[in-house]
Amino acid sequence: MKKILATVLFCTLFSFSLASCGGKNNKVSAISDEEQNKEVTEGEKGNPIEKLDVCIGPSPETMDPQLNSTLDGGTMIMHCFEGLVKYGENGQVLPAMAESWESSKDGLTWTFHLRENLKWSDGMDLSSEDFVYSFKRLSDPDTAAPYGYDMLSMVEGYQEAAQGSPDSLKVEAPDERTFVVHLSTPLSYFDKVVAFSSLVPLRKDILDASGEAWSLEPSTYISNGAYQMSEYVDGDYISLKKNPYYYDADKVTVKELVFHLVEDDNSAYSAYMEGSLDISGRIPSEEMASLRESEDFKSYPLLGTAGMIFNMEKPPFDDVKVRKAFALAIDKKYIAENIFEGYRTPASTFVCEGVSDPEDGSSFVERTLKDYGTPFHTEEYEKDLEEAKKLMKDAGFPNGEGFPKVKYLNNAGGANNTIAEYLQSAFKELGVEMEIDTQEWKVVSATQHTGDFQLTRFAWVYDYDEPLQLLNLFRSQDSNNYAHYSNKKYDKLMLTAMKETDGKKRSKALHKAEQMLLEDLPMVPMVFSKENYLIRPSIQGMQHLSSGHSYFMYCTEAE
């Protein structure tokens, strides 16, 4: 993913969290050690591992938790840093740096109580002031954090902080073990938000001394999680060694974790087959069919939507007729069944399968299709293609006449190249010539942020079971709004959905917002996601979250 993001919520997020929003002080006590250990180490029985060799992607764009916006980078960071709370494999919210937390009667004040004797990987004490610094840095416009608005816009003082006054953000540390956040509006699921990897603590003294380079050197990459960085060779590998100061170090069963940074899926596949990788999340699409029955092959559910983004600020994609024509010209069923060998589902909505409707916990997608509808007919592609050709004519480009050559920004890996080539052929049906511009992932990610593209691939994995996880990306102010979509009515619906505590009203606002996207089409949803891995049969205990992140620190080798 893009992504990506750090953690996952349980499917009953709103039936749980909204029920807890009322006229009493909401205390959340730490889960018992027995429950927590079962959640984070279930299936770990076996021998500890001296070194685990893993490949989940190429060199990360950054290892700074507050600048990262990718799934693979997020997974690497999550092994080094830990926030106030975290998510277990089954979506349960678990204590992390905080052993307990509570919200006030009005839902505006959240208080987190840190564990005793917390340490950084260099042995220095960790305190609540480290969270104060981190939260304020995330809100500072000089940081240019991609998730500052998403994570902190509900905190009192955020607007002033985002305008250059980070000390205006209403977070405080009454003592070394207490961290308090004051919200401008109640948010019943705020404890789920703070599990996100952008909200981990950071060391002010290190960042002040080293500047932006702090995350590039093991000597300055001081962490508080299960691991500390020991080597970072860009384009080759990142080696992590077990952090002896981590509060839960006894549960970490992998002594050294090495992330091999491989851009090409075929190279990663060869490395796995040759035995130099124990786990690989990079599998060539053409190998999927042959691997299906292999005991090494594992497929995991994933809350994710993949597709194509239009840059709405660049002609000809500032015309909704053109965008809709391109969207209808794509055979989503073909992509899911032929390119992905059935390991994806064709998408006719923005919000993906597996996401719950806040009204009653039912499927958000099924309610969309039943009560609201979609312009896509995944079972009747010829009908959609006919409509696409008509729209091109209506836009002044019959059979593509006079339509300029367009460029699609792509990164190699997985089925990306195959999809790009399919899109090239699909748009030829409209009389359009498309050039494929394939770059390294870090270049693609940076270019998407600057907006220097016409069309680009899109893949987003949800951090938890919540429609806003995707819909928020199209708010006018969101830094991940690569389409440059701007609609005041849409922004208002997003604000309503965030503030509203009534499930039925939230559902209505969210569905109305999605219908706006299906009408305006800043992005074409193509498929809903799954995650595939190759794992040595002797390796057990890998935990895969539906956000797409994985925990490798609890892996063991079968006896």
Side-chain angles (χ1 to χ4, degrees), residues 73-106:
T75 292
M76 297 175 198
I77 289 167
M78 287 168 60
H79 283 79
C80 296
F81 286 88
E82 194 167 276
L84 294 161
V85 297
K86 61 184 176 182
Y87 290 98
E89 187 177 23
N90 298 320
Q92 190 176 10
V93 183
L94 302 174
M97 294 293 106
E99 61 184 2
S100 65
W101 56 97
E102 70 262 5
S103 62
S104 60
K105 292 179 180 179
D106 58 9

PDB file of all heavy atoms in Angstrom, residues 73-106:
ATOM      1  N   GLY A  73       7.215  -0.337   4.805  1.00  0.00           N
ATOM      2  CA  GLY A  73       7.950   0.510   5.738  1.00  0.00           C
ATOM      3  C   GLY A  73       7.329   0.500   7.116  1.00  0.00           C
ATOM      4  O   GLY A  73       8.028   0.461   8.133  1.00  0.00           O
ATOM      5  N   GLY A  74       5.997   0.516   7.162  1.00  0.00           N
ATOM      6  CA  GLY A  74       5.291   0.480   8.440  1.00  0.00           C
ATOM      7  C   GLY A  74       5.569  -0.790   9.214  1.00  0.00           C
ATOM      8  O   GLY A  74       5.740  -0.763  10.436  1.00  0.00           O
ATOM      9  N   THR A  75       5.623  -1.920   8.520  1.00  0.00           N
ATOM     10  CA  THR A  75       5.919  -3.192   9.189  1.00  0.00           C
ATOM     11  C   THR A  75       7.321  -3.172   9.791  1.00  0.00           C
ATOM     12  O   THR A  75       7.529  -3.611  10.930  1.00  0.00           O
ATOM     13  CB  THR A  75       5.779  -4.361   8.198  1.00  0.00           C
ATOM     14  OG1 THR A  75       4.398  -4.510   7.842  1.00  0.00           O
ATOM     15  CG2 THR A  75       6.260  -5.667   8.812  1.00  0.00           C
ATOM     16  N   MET A  76       8.294  -2.669   9.048  1.00  0.00           N
ATOM     17  CA  MET A  76       9.659  -2.580   9.569  1.00  0.00           C
ATOM     18  C   MET A  76       9.705  -1.679  10.814  1.00  0.00           C
ATOM     19  O   MET A  76      10.316  -2.026  11.830  1.00  0.00           O
ATOM     20  CB  MET A  76      10.597  -2.039   8.487  1.00  0.00           C
ATOM     21  CG  MET A  76      10.726  -2.924   7.268  1.00  0.00           C
ATOM     22  SD  MET A  76      11.737  -2.140   5.977  1.00  0.00           S
ATOM     23  CE  MET A  76      11.253  -3.099   4.543  1.00  0.00           C
ATOM     24  N   ILE A  77       9.044  -0.546  10.729  1.00  0.00           N
ATOM     25  CA  ILE A  77       9.022   0.411  11.834  1.00  0.00           C
ATOM     26  C   ILE A  77       8.347  -0.183  13.064  1.00  0.00           C
ATOM     27  O   ILE A  77       8.797   0.011  14.203  1.00  0.00           O
ATOM     28  CB  ILE A  77       8.318   1.712  11.393  1.00  0.00           C
ATOM     29  CG1 ILE A  77       9.214   2.473  10.409  1.00  0.00           C
ATOM     30  CG2 ILE A  77       7.966   2.589  12.593  1.00  0.00           C
ATOM     31  CD1 ILE A  77       8.518   3.593   9.672  1.00  0.00           C
ATOM     32  N   MET A  78       7.268  -0.947  12.867  1.00  0.00           N
ATOM     33  CA  MET A  78       6.537  -1.531  13.993  1.00  0.00           C
ATOM     34  C   MET A  78       7.362  -2.535  14.791  1.00  0.00           C
ATOM     35  O   MET A  78       7.047  -2.821  15.936  1.00  0.00           O
ATOM     36  CB  MET A  78       5.260  -2.212  13.485  1.00  0.00           C
ATOM     37  CG  MET A  78       4.173  -1.257  13.060  1.00  0.00           C
ATOM     38  SD  MET A  78       2.841  -2.090  12.168  1.00  0.00           S
ATOM     39  CE  MET A  78       2.274  -3.267  13.378  1.00  0.00           C
ATOM     40  N   HIS A  79       8.415  -3.054  14.179  1.00  0.00           N
ATOM     41  CA  HIS A  79       9.292  -3.964  14.918  1.00  0.00           C
ATOM     42  C   HIS A  79      10.296  -3.213  15.779  1.00  0.00           C
ATOM     43  O   HIS A  79      10.917  -3.808  16.674  1.00  0.00           O
ATOM     44  CB  HIS A  79      10.009  -4.914  13.954  1.00  0.00           C
ATOM     45  CG  HIS A  79       9.142  -6.017  13.450  1.00  0.00           C
ATOM     46  ND1 HIS A  79       8.230  -5.838  12.439  1.00  0.00           N
ATOM     47  CD2 HIS A  79       9.016  -7.310  13.851  1.00  0.00           C
ATOM     48  CE1 HIS A  79       7.585  -6.978  12.227  1.00  0.00           C
ATOM     49  NE2 HIS A  79       8.040  -7.885  13.069  1.00  0.00           N
ATOM     50  N   CYS A  80      10.450  -1.921  15.499  1.00  0.00           N
ATOM     51  CA  CYS A  80      11.396  -1.095  16.262  1.00  0.00           C
ATOM     52  C   CYS A  80      10.713  -0.177  17.267  1.00  0.00           C
ATOM     53  O   CYS A  80      11.295   0.134  18.315  1.00  0.00           O
ATOM     54  CB  CYS A  80      12.236  -0.253  15.302  1.00  0.00           C
ATOM     55  SG  CYS A  80      13.291  -1.192  14.191  1.00  0.00           S
ATOM     56  N   PHE A  81       9.508   0.270  16.947  1.00  0.00           N
ATOM     57  CA  PHE A  81       8.814   1.230  17.794  1.00  0.00           C
ATOM     58  C   PHE A  81       7.448   0.691  18.223  1.00  0.00           C
ATOM     59  O   PHE A  81       6.821  -0.089  17.510  1.00  0.00           O
ATOM     60  CB  PHE A  81       8.613   2.556  17.052  1.00  0.00           C
ATOM     61  CG  PHE A  81       9.868   3.370  16.910  1.00  0.00           C
ATOM     62  CD1 PHE A  81      10.705   3.179  15.825  1.00  0.00           C
ATOM     63  CD2 PHE A  81      10.211   4.316  17.859  1.00  0.00           C
ATOM     64  CE1 PHE A  81      11.860   3.920  15.680  1.00  0.00           C
ATOM     65  CE2 PHE A  81      11.364   5.054  17.734  1.00  0.00           C
ATOM     66  CZ  PHE A  81      12.204   4.868  16.643  1.00  0.00           C
ATOM     67  N   GLU A  82       7.008   1.161  19.361  1.00  0.00           N
ATOM     68  CA  GLU A  82       5.702   0.762  19.885  1.00  0.00           C
ATOM     69  C   GLU A  82       5.036   1.973  20.527  1.00  0.00           C
ATOM     70  O   GLU A  82       5.687   2.760  21.221  1.00  0.00           O
ATOM     71  CB  GLU A  82       5.880  -0.354  20.915  1.00  0.00           C
ATOM     72  CG  GLU A  82       4.589  -1.068  21.259  1.00  0.00           C
ATOM     73  CD  GLU A  82       4.854  -2.349  22.038  1.00  0.00           C
ATOM     74  OE1 GLU A  82       5.135  -3.386  21.415  1.00  0.00           O
ATOM     75  OE2 GLU A  82       4.795  -2.297  23.281  1.00  0.00           O
ATOM     76  N   GLY A  83       3.739   2.133  20.279  1.00  0.00           N
ATOM     77  CA  GLY A  83       3.005   3.270  20.797  1.00  0.00           C
ATOM     78  C   GLY A  83       2.335   2.996  22.126  1.00  0.00           C
ATOM     79  O   GLY A  83       2.672   2.057  22.844  1.00  0.00           O
ATOM     80  N   LEU A  84       1.351   3.809  22.449  1.00  0.00           N
ATOM     81  CA  LEU A  84       0.630   3.661  23.713  1.00  0.00           C
ATOM     82  C   LEU A  84      -0.109   2.331  23.765  1.00  0.00           C
ATOM     83  O   LEU A  84      -0.132   1.661  24.798  1.00  0.00           O
ATOM     84  CB  LEU A  84      -0.357   4.821  23.880  1.00  0.00           C
ATOM     85  CG  LEU A  84       0.284   6.206  24.052  1.00  0.00           C
ATOM     86  CD1 LEU A  84      -0.733   7.292  23.753  1.00  0.00           C
ATOM     87  CD2 LEU A  84       0.844   6.358  25.465  1.00  0.00           C
ATOM     88  N   VAL A  85      -0.736   1.962  22.642  1.00  0.00           N
ATOM     89  CA  VAL A  85      -1.445   0.685  22.532  1.00  0.00           C
ATOM     90  C   VAL A  85      -1.080   0.063  21.192  1.00  0.00           C
ATOM     91  O   VAL A  85      -0.456   0.696  20.346  1.00  0.00           O
ATOM     92  CB  VAL A  85      -2.982   0.853  22.631  1.00  0.00           C
ATOM     93  CG1 VAL A  85      -3.392   1.396  23.982  1.00  0.00           C
ATOM     94  CG2 VAL A  85      -3.509   1.754  21.518  1.00  0.00           C
ATOM     95  N   LYS A  86      -1.442  -1.198  21.009  1.00  0.00           N
ATOM     96  CA  LYS A  86      -1.172  -1.891  19.756  1.00  0.00           C
ATOM     97  C   LYS A  86      -2.306  -2.880  19.513  1.00  0.00           C
ATOM     98  O   LYS A  86      -3.168  -3.093  20.368  1.00  0.00           O
ATOM     99  CB  LYS A  86       0.168  -2.626  19.822  1.00  0.00           C
ATOM    100  CG  LYS A  86       0.236  -3.700  20.904  1.00  0.00           C
ATOM    101  CD  LYS A  86       1.620  -4.313  20.982  1.00  0.00           C
ATOM    102  CE  LYS A  86       1.698  -5.322  22.127  1.00  0.00           C
ATOM    103  NZ  LYS A  86       3.056  -5.899  22.249  1.00  0.00           N
ATOM    104  N   TYR A  87      -2.279  -3.495  18.341  1.00  0.00           N
ATOM    105  CA  TYR A  87      -3.289  -4.486  18.008  1.00  0.00           C
ATOM    106  C   TYR A  87      -2.682  -5.868  17.917  1.00  0.00           C
ATOM    107  O   TYR A  87      -1.572  -6.047  17.417  1.00  0.00           O
ATOM    108  CB  TYR A  87      -3.972  -4.140  16.683  1.00  0.00           C
ATOM    109  CG  TYR A  87      -4.833  -2.921  16.820  1.00  0.00           C
ATOM    110  CD1 TYR A  87      -4.353  -1.684  16.432  1.00  0.00           C
ATOM    111  CD2 TYR A  87      -6.086  -2.995  17.399  1.00  0.00           C
ATOM    112  CE1 TYR A  87      -5.118  -0.543  16.591  1.00  0.00           C
ATOM    113  CE2 TYR A  87      -6.855  -1.865  17.573  1.00  0.00           C
ATOM    114  CZ  TYR A  87      -6.363  -0.634  17.167  1.00  0.00           C
ATOM    115  OH  TYR A  87      -7.113   0.487  17.334  1.00  0.00           O
ATOM    116  N   GLY A  88      -3.431  -6.843  18.421  1.00  0.00           N
ATOM    117  CA  GLY A  88      -3.024  -8.226  18.300  1.00  0.00           C
ATOM    118  C   GLY A  88      -3.513  -8.813  16.995  1.00  0.00           C
ATOM    119  O   GLY A  88      -4.208  -8.157  16.211  1.00  0.00           O
ATOM    120  N   GLU A  89      -3.164 -10.050  16.755  1.00  0.00           N
ATOM    121  CA  GLU A  89      -3.493 -10.707  15.493  1.00  0.00           C
ATOM    122  C   GLU A  89      -4.988 -10.755  15.244  1.00  0.00           C
ATOM    123  O   GLU A  89      -5.441 -10.673  14.102  1.00  0.00           O
ATOM    124  CB  GLU A  89      -2.915 -12.124  15.496  1.00  0.00           C
ATOM    125  CG  GLU A  89      -3.055 -12.846  14.174  1.00  0.00           C
ATOM    126  CD  GLU A  89      -2.407 -14.207  14.198  1.00  0.00           C
ATOM    127  OE1 GLU A  89      -2.232 -14.770  15.304  1.00  0.00           O
ATOM    128  OE2 GLU A  89      -2.077 -14.723  13.123  1.00  0.00           O
ATOM    129  N   ASN A  90      -5.781 -10.868  16.304  1.00  0.00           N
ATOM    130  CA  ASN A  90      -7.233 -10.971  16.149  1.00  0.00           C
ATOM    131  C   ASN A  90      -7.931  -9.628  16.242  1.00  0.00           C
ATOM    132  O   ASN A  90      -9.149  -9.556  16.385  1.00  0.00           O
ATOM    133  CB  ASN A  90      -7.795 -11.921  17.212  1.00  0.00           C
ATOM    134  CG  ASN A  90      -7.238 -13.320  17.062  1.00  0.00           C
ATOM    135  OD1 ASN A  90      -7.077 -13.809  15.951  1.00  0.00           O
ATOM    136  ND2 ASN A  90      -6.902 -13.971  18.175  1.00  0.00           N
ATOM    137  N   GLY A  91      -7.161  -8.541  16.172  1.00  0.00           N
ATOM    138  CA  GLY A  91      -7.747  -7.216  16.175  1.00  0.00           C
ATOM    139  C   GLY A  91      -8.014  -6.663  17.549  1.00  0.00           C
ATOM    140  O   GLY A  91      -8.587  -5.584  17.685  1.00  0.00           O
ATOM    141  N   GLN A  92      -7.619  -7.364  18.586  1.00  0.00           N
ATOM    142  CA  GLN A  92      -7.851  -6.905  19.946  1.00  0.00           C
ATOM    143  C   GLN A  92      -6.909  -5.753  20.275  1.00  0.00           C
ATOM    144  O   GLN A  92      -5.726  -5.786  19.943  1.00  0.00           O
ATOM    145  CB  GLN A  92      -7.630  -8.066  20.918  1.00  0.00           C
ATOM    146  CG  GLN A  92      -8.057  -7.790  22.339  1.00  0.00           C
ATOM    147  CD  GLN A  92      -7.899  -9.025  23.207  1.00  0.00           C
ATOM    148  OE1 GLN A  92      -7.304 -10.006  22.788  1.00  0.00           O
ATOM    149  NE2 GLN A  92      -8.425  -8.979  24.412  1.00  0.00           N
ATOM    150  N   VAL A  93      -7.430  -4.719  20.912  1.00  0.00           N
ATOM    151  CA  VAL A  93      -6.591  -3.601  21.340  1.00  0.00           C
ATOM    152  C   VAL A  93      -5.838  -4.010  22.595  1.00  0.00           C
ATOM    153  O   VAL A  93      -6.431  -4.385  23.594  1.00  0.00           O
ATOM    154  CB  VAL A  93      -7.439  -2.345  21.640  1.00  0.00           C
ATOM    155  CG1 VAL A  93      -6.534  -1.176  22.008  1.00  0.00           C
ATOM    156  CG2 VAL A  93      -8.302  -1.988  20.450  1.00  0.00           C
ATOM    157  N   LEU A  94      -4.520  -3.932  22.534  1.00  0.00           N
ATOM    158  CA  LEU A  94      -3.677  -4.402  23.631  1.00  0.00           C
ATOM    159  C   LEU A  94      -2.875  -3.270  24.246  1.00  0.00           C
ATOM    160  O   LEU A  94      -2.481  -2.332  23.559  1.00  0.00           O
ATOM    161  CB  LEU A  94      -2.700  -5.468  23.115  1.00  0.00           C
ATOM    162  CG  LEU A  94      -3.295  -6.700  22.454  1.00  0.00           C
ATOM    163  CD1 LEU A  94      -2.183  -7.564  21.886  1.00  0.00           C
ATOM    164  CD2 LEU A  94      -4.130  -7.494  23.450  1.00  0.00           C
ATOM    165  N   PRO A  95      -2.604  -3.352  25.541  1.00  0.00           N
ATOM    166  CA  PRO A  95      -1.695  -2.392  26.159  1.00  0.00           C
ATOM    167  C   PRO A  95      -0.308  -2.515  25.530  1.00  0.00           C
ATOM    168  O   PRO A  95       0.128  -3.613  25.183  1.00  0.00           O
ATOM    169  CB  PRO A  95      -1.665  -2.812  27.625  1.00  0.00           C
ATOM    170  CG  PRO A  95      -2.876  -3.661  27.822  1.00  0.00           C
ATOM    171  CD  PRO A  95      -3.111  -4.349  26.509  1.00  0.00           C
ATOM    172  N   ALA A  96       0.356  -1.412  25.385  1.00  0.00           N
ATOM    173  CA  ALA A  96       1.737  -1.423  24.903  1.00  0.00           C
ATOM    174  C   ALA A  96       2.561  -0.588  25.870  1.00  0.00           C
ATOM    175  O   ALA A  96       2.788  -1.007  26.998  1.00  0.00           O
ATOM    176  CB  ALA A  96       1.802  -0.898  23.470  1.00  0.00           C
ATOM    177  N   MET A  97       2.963   0.628  25.497  1.00  0.00           N
ATOM    178  CA  MET A  97       3.652   1.485  26.461  1.00  0.00           C
ATOM    179  C   MET A  97       2.716   1.883  27.609  1.00  0.00           C
ATOM    180  O   MET A  97       3.141   2.093  28.740  1.00  0.00           O
ATOM    181  CB  MET A  97       4.187   2.742  25.779  1.00  0.00           C
ATOM    182  CG  MET A  97       5.291   2.498  24.763  1.00  0.00           C
ATOM    183  SD  MET A  97       6.839   1.906  25.477  1.00  0.00           S
ATOM    184  CE  MET A  97       6.808   0.172  24.965  1.00  0.00           C
ATOM    185  N   ALA A  98       1.429   1.991  27.300  1.00  0.00           N
ATOM    186  CA  ALA A  98       0.430   2.290  28.329  1.00  0.00           C
ATOM    187  C   ALA A  98      -0.150   0.977  28.858  1.00  0.00           C
ATOM    188  O   ALA A  98      -0.546   0.111  28.087  1.00  0.00           O
ATOM    189  CB  ALA A  98      -0.684   3.162  27.764  1.00  0.00           C
ATOM    190  N   GLU A  99      -0.219   0.849  30.184  1.00  0.00           N
ATOM    191  CA  GLU A  99      -0.804  -0.358  30.771  1.00  0.00           C
ATOM    192  C   GLU A  99      -2.307  -0.213  30.965  1.00  0.00           C
ATOM    193  O   GLU A  99      -3.017  -1.202  31.105  1.00  0.00           O
ATOM    194  CB  GLU A  99      -0.122  -0.673  32.101  1.00  0.00           C
ATOM    195  CG  GLU A  99      -0.266   0.403  33.161  1.00  0.00           C
ATOM    196  CD  GLU A  99       0.515   0.065  34.435  1.00  0.00           C
ATOM    197  OE1 GLU A  99       1.182  -0.990  34.431  1.00  0.00           O
ATOM    198  OE2 GLU A  99       0.452   0.841  35.400  1.00  0.00           O
ATOM    199  N   SER A 100      -2.802   1.029  30.980  1.00  0.00           N
ATOM    200  CA  SER A 100      -4.246   1.271  31.071  1.00  0.00           C
ATOM    201  C   SER A 100      -4.540   2.679  30.569  1.00  0.00           C
ATOM    202  O   SER A 100      -3.637   3.504  30.419  1.00  0.00           O
ATOM    203  CB  SER A 100      -4.734   1.108  32.518  1.00  0.00           C
ATOM    204  OG  SER A 100      -4.172   2.093  33.358  1.00  0.00           O
ATOM    205  N   TRP A 101      -5.813   2.953  30.309  1.00  0.00           N
ATOM    206  CA  TRP A 101      -6.215   4.272  29.828  1.00  0.00           C
ATOM    207  C   TRP A 101      -7.705   4.450  30.068  1.00  0.00           C
ATOM    208  O   TRP A 101      -8.445   3.493  30.262  1.00  0.00           O
ATOM    209  CB  TRP A 101      -5.890   4.434  28.338  1.00  0.00           C
ATOM    210  CG  TRP A 101      -6.491   3.401  27.431  1.00  0.00           C
ATOM    211  CD1 TRP A 101      -7.636   3.494  26.704  1.00  0.00           C
ATOM    212  CD2 TRP A 101      -5.954   2.101  27.142  1.00  0.00           C
ATOM    213  NE1 TRP A 101      -7.854   2.348  25.986  1.00  0.00           N
ATOM    214  CE2 TRP A 101      -6.840   1.479  26.227  1.00  0.00           C
ATOM    215  CE3 TRP A 101      -4.815   1.398  27.559  1.00  0.00           C
ATOM    216  CZ2 TRP A 101      -6.620   0.189  25.743  1.00  0.00           C
ATOM    217  CZ3 TRP A 101      -4.598   0.115  27.065  1.00  0.00           C
ATOM    218  CH2 TRP A 101      -5.489  -0.472  26.167  1.00  0.00           C
ATOM    219  N   GLU A 102      -8.142   5.709  30.095  1.00  0.00           N
ATOM    220  CA  GLU A 102      -9.563   5.997  30.267  1.00  0.00           C
ATOM    221  C   GLU A 102      -9.924   7.298  29.576  1.00  0.00           C
ATOM    222  O   GLU A 102      -9.059   8.130  29.308  1.00  0.00           O
ATOM    223  CB  GLU A 102      -9.940   6.077  31.752  1.00  0.00           C
ATOM    224  CG  GLU A 102      -9.412   7.279  32.499  1.00  0.00           C
ATOM    225  CD  GLU A 102      -8.153   6.980  33.293  1.00  0.00           C
ATOM    226  OE1 GLU A 102      -7.628   5.842  33.177  1.00  0.00           O
ATOM    227  OE2 GLU A 102      -7.666   7.889  33.993  1.00  0.00           O
ATOM    228  N   SER A 103     -11.223   7.449  29.267  1.00  0.00           N
ATOM    229  CA  SER A 103     -11.726   8.702  28.710  1.00  0.00           C
ATOM    230  C   SER A 103     -12.670   9.338  29.718  1.00  0.00           C
ATOM    231  O   SER A 103     -13.264   8.656  30.560  1.00  0.00           O
ATOM    232  CB  SER A 103     -12.454   8.450  27.385  1.00  0.00           C
ATOM    233  OG  SER A 103     -13.582   7.616  27.586  1.00  0.00           O
ATOM    234  N   SER A 104     -12.810  10.657  29.624  1.00  0.00           N
ATOM    235  CA  SER A 104     -13.672  11.395  30.556  1.00  0.00           C
ATOM    236  C   SER A 104     -15.139  11.207  30.214  1.00  0.00           C
ATOM    237  O   SER A 104     -15.492  10.641  29.167  1.00  0.00           O
ATOM    238  CB  SER A 104     -13.315  12.883  30.518  1.00  0.00           C
ATOM    239  OG  SER A 104     -13.494  13.394  29.198  1.00  0.00           O
ATOM    240  N   LYS A 105     -16.011  11.684  31.077  1.00  0.00           N
ATOM    241  CA  LYS A 105     -17.455  11.533  30.867  1.00  0.00           C
ATOM    242  C   LYS A 105     -17.908  12.143  29.546  1.00  0.00           C
ATOM    243  O   LYS A 105     -18.788  11.604  28.876  1.00  0.00           O
ATOM    244  CB  LYS A 105     -18.216  12.176  32.022  1.00  0.00           C
ATOM    245  CG  LYS A 105     -18.052  11.468  33.360  1.00  0.00           C
ATOM    246  CD  LYS A 105     -18.827  12.193  34.450  1.00  0.00           C
ATOM    247  CE  LYS A 105     -18.667  11.503  35.799  1.00  0.00           C
ATOM    248  NZ  LYS A 105     -19.402  12.221  36.875  1.00  0.00           N
ATOM    249  N   ASP A 106     -17.321  13.296  29.187  1.00  0.00           N
ATOM    250  CA  ASP A 106     -17.740  13.965  27.948  1.00  0.00           C
ATOM    251  C   ASP A 106     -16.977  13.460  26.724  1.00  0.00           C
ATOM    252  O   ASP A 106     -17.209  13.907  25.603  1.00  0.00           O
ATOM    253  CB  ASP A 106     -17.598  15.474  28.065  1.00  0.00           C
ATOM    254  CG  ASP A 106     -16.170  15.924  28.379  1.00  0.00           C
ATOM    255  OD1 ASP A 106     -15.251  15.076  28.348  1.00  0.00           O
ATOM    256  OD2 ASP A 106     -15.976  17.121  28.664  1.00  0.00           O
TER     257      ASP A 106
END
